[in-house]
Amino acid sequence: MKIFLITDYGAQFCDKLQTRAIQAAIDDCFLAGGGRVVIPCGIFLTGSIRIRSGVQLYLESGAILKGSRDLEDYMGYLEDTLE
């Protein structure tokens, strides 16, 4: 199984959005035919992400995928799907 670690895509555990890095890992995993996207130990803030077919989202022990409280962080995904 192919492994895609979000930190290899620039994700950092901090108070800034990590949506782009997480989505990039998911998209690369999908384009590679599937595999596992790994969220390591830490807190990762995100807006909308799209999980794709054949992609397992795996949170390691101590990993937290935290949704943003800002509605604006979710609007971009809706705009992308309407185009």
Side-chain angles (χ1 to χ4, degrees):
M1 175 178 293
K2 296 177 185 173
I3 304 295
F4 298 81
L5 185 61
I6 65 167
T7 52
D8 290 344
Y9 291 82
Q12 303 173 344
F13 48 93
C14 63
D15 60 352
K16 295 183 181 176
L17 280 179
Q18 304 302 307
T19 308
R20 288 182 193 263
I22 295 167
Q23 190 63 58
I26 291 169
D27 292 345
D28 278 0
C29 181
F30 171 74
L31 292 172
R36 178 179 283 178
V37 173
V38 177
I39 312 292
C41 181
I43 300 172
F44 297 90
L45 184 65
T46 187
S48 297
I49 55 173
R50 179 189 291 179
I51 306 299
R52 297 177 173 262
S53 178
V55 175
Q56 294 179 2
L57 188 62
Y58 180 80
L59 280 72
E60 291 184 340
S61 179
I64 297 172
L65 195 55
K66 183 177 178 181
S68 172
R69 291 181 177 247
D70 187 348
L71 185 59
E72 294 290 321
D73 296 334
Y74 298 94
M75 300 307 283
Y77 171 75
L78 294 175
E79 291 168 7
D80 289 344
T81 60
L82 297 176
E83 293 179 3

